[in-house]
Amino acid sequence: MPSIKRREIQRIVGIISRAILEQRLAPGTRLVETRLSEALGANRNHVRAALLELSHQGLVAIAANRGATVACPSQQEAAEVFAMRRILEEEAVALAARGERRGELAPLRALIEEERRAVEEGRRPAAVDCAARFHIELARLGGNRLLVEVLERMIAKTSLIVSMYQKDRNAHHCHCEEHGKLLDLVAAGEADTAALSMRRHLEHLEASLELTEEEEQSLDLAALFAELQTEAETGPR
């Protein structure tokens, strides 16, 4: 059983990584330990340990004389992340289509509907979260736990990349219709076609990016993390 200290570090990691995944923390945002401690009601040593763990995951950059910032993936890293996601998710969706659980799609269809509502209502963080969960839960159907673990990290990095490089800031970076078509192919057991459809889906996402750097933005960390903690206790809006 994790110690109290470990649970607290995991709590901080979870909140910050969720803020990054949902694109509420922009790449390049400074993560000042004192401000984070106040915003999260946390011990500064625990915050420092959490930031170090996030740096190992590639979500945070720690530099001498500057401290921690949300990572800013380079153009090369963006290309590598998408290449890795294509490899992982083509295999994942093919495994799902060939597997015994391909009929267990009701929760995934519910996620698509949740994502669609969030898009229609302009709740971008919620839509991004739904899209990420869709890809992860679809991969879980294939039964390869290590693949899912690596994919979770790639999806978090993709959120950073999209946040930096998406051409249309008002656009949602995944498409509910494409998700629905993927599920139809999985349900039909069309493994090869599902893999090809996943490749095209990810290529569509990559094509929506413009690889130019963005300026650092200021952010009220206290308000952001208060909102995330409230959502964790009561559920998202």
Side-chain angles (χ1 to χ4, degrees), residues 23 60 87 130 135 141 146 161 164-165 167-168 185 187 202:
Q23 299 174 13
V60 166
I87 293 168
C130 287
H135 281 267
L141 291 180
L146 181 57
I161 292 163
M164 282 186 72
Y165 299 121
K167 298 172 187 176
D168 182 358
L185 291 168
L202 294 172

Side-chain angles (χ1 to χ4, degrees), residues 4 15 36 42 52 54 56 67 84 87 94 103 110 117 123 145 150 153 165 186 200-201 207 234:
I4 294 174
I15 291 173
L36 289 172
L52 183 61
L54 287 163
H56 293 156
M84 179 62 76
I87 293 168
R117 287 195 300 272
R123 294 183 289 115
R145 288 178 292 179
V150 176
R153 294 196 177 192
Y165 299 121
V186 169
R200 289 174 176 167
H201 177 58
T234 64

Side-chain angles (χ1 to χ4, degrees), residues 111-112 114-116 118 125-135 179:
L111 260 181
I112 293 173
E114 187 180 345
E115 179 188 359
R116 180 178 288 110
V128 171
D129 177 62
C130 287
R133 284 191 287 143
F134 173 87
H135 281 267
H179 287 171

